[in-house]
Amino acid sequence: MSQIALCNPFTGESVLDTQSEPFEQASERARIGQRASRAWAVLEVAERSAACRRALDYFSRNRDEIARGITREMGKPLAEAGGELDFMLERARAMCDFAESGALAPVGLERWHDDSFQGRIEFRPKGVIYIITPWNYPLFCAINGTISALLAGNAVLLKHTTCPSVGAHFEHAFGTLAGIEGLLQHVMVDFATSARIIEEADIDHVIFTGSVRGGREISASVAKRCHNDLRQPFIQCSLELGSNDAAWIAADADLEHAAHWAVKIGRLHNSGQSCCAVKRLYCHADVHDEFVERATAIMQAEIQGDPMDPATTLGPLFGGRGAVASLAGMIEDAEARGARLVTGGDTHEIGKALFLEPTLLTQCDHDMRVMREETFGPVLPVMALESDEQAAGMVTDTRYGLTSAIFTTSRSRAERYISAMDSGTVYVNRCNFVDARLGWNGRRCSGNGSIALSPLGLQALSGVHSVNIDPEQLA
């Protein structure tokens, strides 16, 4: 077993230093979860939803404490941490609405019934869902799987080692519901033990949000599991991985609106540490210069510093000096290949953290790393194009496929763009924004298309149970 350590990314102070739980303890947690799931599953969906709604009240009552913990552990500015909690509650309550409105009701096949056949498709709980969730949106990523799993009648093992206070709060809120203990347990395990949980423990599904490399490791463990003598050797995994999302600023775009969304929200929110952030931007040549001027003003207005300071808009990067060095290397590569540095590019120390200034690059092309790799920080490359058709080709020229966006005032142009895209989500006149009413999934290296959120998210964490009846033999 190894130590799990975590430091405040701004002060450098230790916020966690603990030993990984042994596999045997984590495996016992899975068995406890199976017992809890069996008791939870017999409740009506409305009862489960009501219990989850009561649990969500815990987060409202402890909002400030939870937000401060997030800021200490991953560096998100305090106001943004509080905002994430507010939107988390909105998202979770929407999922309760879906459950209460019949998202898990059987699929009726009445239109295909005849004298010899009646049938329906039911959604049954799977059992225990193992959720591995990241630091960048510690509440959002954790609630997506947790609320869907619980509403569908499952129990949860939650691994939240990079923002452990959130894991503890989730266990406190959801651990015991309707008098049933062990419905959500927070496990503190290292990578090796986590792999053993997937390969050997009594679980029924894995949800992972993180890097492409991490997704490959999870998939490898799921494959190894099938060789073990287990109750459920063949399980599914839901992968939401990295991306290199793009936005297209069409010639008719409202530039003030587009700059606010694509730069302030799309690129700079959470210091650029978002899987669905705008990481490369294409702009029609006719509006390129004006857009760049607006984008520059937005970037230069940002305030980096202590994330506990209410004036701070950009906190330190979670990956520390290594993350800054990686981004600086991409900027250097772009400049060497002909990109023009419009603003930013320099680093400076505040407290014990190294910051990279919000950076805007123009005259970019696809030979540059900054256009082809995932940039997890406040760096935005811009490329001027001449047509919608050229933009569609450039946007889809990537191994990723999480989201893409277009800014336009023409519905027909928007619909043509939507048809040309191959990403889990296509945005029109917004970006970097997740709506619980829509399924969340990715293509290619951005994930395996497993759906989170929306009514379909509840069904994705359910087992399909087909009922085939011969009515001729029934009274």
Side-chain angles (χ1 to χ4, degrees):
M1 293 180 294
S2 63
Q3 289 294 114
I4 300 173
L6 182 68
C7 292
N8 182 315
F10 181 71
T11 66
E13 298 171 338
S14 174
V15 293
L16 176 72
D17 190 0
T18 189
Q19 193 172 51
S20 170
E21 292 181 22
F23 169 73
E24 292 72 20
Q25 182 176 328
S27 183
E28 177 60 24
R29 288 181 183 270
R31 286 189 285 270
I32 292 169
Q34 291 290 353
R35 292 195 296 269
S37 175
R38 288 192 290 271
W40 178 243
V42 301
L43 300 182
E44 296 291 335
V45 172
E47 295 178 84
R48 297 200 295 262
S49 182
C52 287
R53 287 186 186 275
R54 290 191 293 272
L56 291 170
D57 292 339
Y58 168 87
F59 293 92
S60 297
R61 294 194 303 270
N62 296 278
R63 181 183 187 276
D64 292 344
E65 177 190 349
I66 295 169
R68 286 194 297 270
I70 290 171
T71 299
R72 283 194 300 270
E73 291 172 354
M74 58 77 59
K76 189 189 297 284
L78 192 59
E80 286 191 15
E84 183 181 344
L85 189 148
D86 296 337
F87 282 115
M88 180 205 80
L89 293 175
E90 179 181 295
R91 182 180 297 185
R93 288 167 180 152
M95 297 303 292
C96 292
D97 289 343
F98 299 144
E100 294 160 3
S101 300
L104 291 168
V107 176
L109 304 174
E110 289 81 5
R111 63 183 295 186
W112 294 287
H113 285 182
D114 56 33
D115 292 342
S116 64
F117 170 79
Q118 292 177 359
R120 62 184 181 271
I121 299 171
E122 298 178 345
F123 298 104
R124 301 280 188 89
K126 287 191 168 188
V128 172
I129 312 298
Y130 181 39
I131 302 176
I132 306 169
T133 199
W135 52 267
N136 59 330
Y137 287 97
L139 293 168
F140 284 168
C141 295
I143 201 64
N144 289 357
T146 292
I147 197 68
S148 296
L150 291 172
L151 289 170
N154 304 291
V156 172
L157 286 185
L158 177 64
K159 178 181 182 288
H160 213 327
T161 50
T162 51
C163 205
S165 68
V166 173
H169 286 301
F170 267 62
E171 183 172 45
H172 193 101
F174 297 110
T176 301
L177 300 176
I180 301 168
E181 297 181 356
L183 275 175
L184 187 146
Q185 301 168 81
H186 181 215
V187 293
M188 292 293 293
V189 295
D190 57 20
F191 294 129
T193 305
S194 182
R196 287 193 67 187
I197 291 173
I198 298 170
E199 295 163 19
E200 302 175 38
D202 192 7
I203 62 171
D204 300 274
H205 192 108
V206 181
I207 299 174
F208 173 76
T209 306
S211 67
V212 175
R213 177 182 176 184
R216 290 191 170 111
E217 295 294 331
I218 298 298
S219 296
S221 287
V222 169
K224 290 178 183 177
R225 178 185 179 88
C226 70
H227 296 288
N228 293 326
D229 185 16
L230 299 166
R231 176 190 62 86
Q232 182 64 280
F234 305 106
I235 64 173
Q236 294 174 308
C237 61
S238 301
L239 303 175
E240 198 265 272
L241 310 177
S243 196
N244 187 22
D245 298 350
W248 164 234
I249 313 298
D252 65 341
D254 179 327
L255 295 186
E256 181 178 1
H257 177 88
H260 173 75
W261 270 96
V263 183
K264 176 66 177 176
I265 298 173
R267 176 67 279 186
L268 297 178
H269 189 262
N270 202 30
S271 300
Q273 301 169 117
S274 173
C275 59
C276 59
V278 174
K279 300 180 181 73
R280 53 197 170 104
L281 192 141
Y282 303 94
C283 190
H284 196 283
D286 290 350
V287 296
H288 174 273
D289 292 350
E290 183 180 350
F291 181 87
V292 168
E293 183 178 338
R294 291 176 181 273
T296 301
I298 291 171
M299 286 193 160
Q300 291 178 346
E302 292 295 307
I303 301 173
Q304 296 179 304
D306 184 349
M308 289 290 186
D309 185 341
T312 295
T313 60
L314 294 182
L317 297 181
F318 180 81
R321 294 174 184 271
V324 172
S326 177
L327 291 169
M330 291 186 188
I331 295 168
E332 182 180 351
D333 171 79
E335 288 190 279
R337 295 175 184 272
R340 183 172 75 90
L341 181 65
V342 178
T343 189
D346 290 333
T347 61
H348 55 279
E349 293 194 13
I350 305 174
K352 294 188 177 181
L354 182 65
F355 286 79
L356 172 67
E357 293 176 345
T359 301
L360 185 66
L361 296 160
T362 60
Q363 299 176 19
C364 297
D365 60 50
H366 278 205
D367 289 332
M368 301 171 185
R369 290 175 53 211
V370 75
M371 294 291 284
R372 305 202 66 84
E373 299 178 18
E374 182 175 26
T375 50
F376 229 58
V379 177
L380 181 61
V382 180
M383 185 173 176
L385 301 176
E386 299 291 340
S387 69
D388 295 336
E389 292 74 21
Q390 189 182 15
M394 290 293 182
V395 169
T396 55
D397 179 23
T398 177
R399 67 188 185 121
Y400 298 101
L402 189 57
T403 79
S404 56
I406 182 174
F407 291 85
T408 177
T409 55
S410 166
R411 180 171 288 275
S412 61
R413 172 176 277 117
E415 292 295 344
R416 288 195 300 272
Y417 182 87
I418 291 168
S419 297
M421 292 301 104
D422 184 22
S423 56
T425 297
V426 184
Y427 292 108
V428 177
N429 294 325
R430 62 169 52 134
C431 53
N432 200 18
F433 181 82
V434 180
D435 193 307
R437 292 168 291 190
L438 293 169
W440 187 247
N441 63 96
R443 305 280 194 273
R444 301 181 299 283
C445 285
S446 290
N448 59 0
S450 184
I451 296 177
L453 302 178
S454 82
L456 297 178
L458 300 175
Q459 298 171 10
L461 295 183
S462 303
V464 175
H465 188 79
S466 294
V467 179
N468 189 329
I469 299 170
D470 179 356
E472 295 179 348
Q473 302 299 313
L474 299 178

